Amino acid sequence: MALPQDGPWLDDAAGRLVRPYTVSGGRTRPTTALDLMSLVMSTGTQPLGYLGPEHSDVLGLCEAPTSVAEVAGQLRLPAVVTKVLLSDLVDCGALTTRAPDYFHHPTDRSLLEAVLDGLRRRF
């Protein structure tokens, strides 16, 4: 079922009405290096010129620090298309980005148990 905010982009029967790469103008390479876990946040600066409705959606999602993966999931777009949109906004100063904080010990047992507990509660 299409959500009200999806507007004409999604249809219950047909799925996405606009091809994902149309959203990025066919571009597949972002100008900013972004990891799926990179955090992006709106700077409050409005982009000059028209970028597109998806860019406005991104800014709305990034009022607080949000991961690239979360933005892609909320937009229902492939990660590479989302990264192009995000890099457009970084380039014009509307978003700031921070590299992910990797743990010193990514296989720390307590961390893995916390992740497992969170997954069990969610599913």
Side-chain angles (χ1 to χ4, degrees):
M1 182 170 123
L3 300 174
Q5 69 267 20
D6 291 333
W9 300 109
L10 294 175
D11 179 83
D12 288 338
R16 181 171 282 283
L17 298 177
V18 175
R19 303 293 293 176
Y21 291 95
T22 302
V23 172
S24 66
R27 297 173 293 146
T28 59
R29 295 182 191 242
T31 57
T32 303
L34 294 167
D35 185 274
L36 286 176
M37 297 306 295
S38 295
L39 296 176
V40 289
M41 184 172 168
S42 174
T43 63
T45 302
Q46 291 299 315
L48 297 175
Y50 178 77
L51 291 177
E54 297 80 12
H55 291 91
S56 296
D57 293 342
V58 168
L59 289 174
L61 292 170
C62 296
E63 292 176 356
T66 308
S67 72
V68 171
E70 179 67 20
V71 174
Q74 291 292 326
L75 293 176
R76 298 181 182 181
L77 288 172
V80 69
V81 173
T82 302
K83 288 178 181 182
V84 170
L85 296 175
L86 291 169
S87 67
D88 290 345
L89 293 166
V90 169
D91 291 346
C92 71
L95 282 182
T96 186
T97 182
R98 188 178 84 206
D101 295 329
Y102 289 106
F103 299 96
H104 292 103
H105 304 287
T107 57
D108 178 43
R109 183 178 178 93
S110 62
L111 171 65
L112 294 174
E113 287 174 353
V115 170
L116 182 59
D117 289 342
L119 288 171
R120 284 181 177 147
R121 278 187 297 236
R122 182 157 176 96
F123 300 107

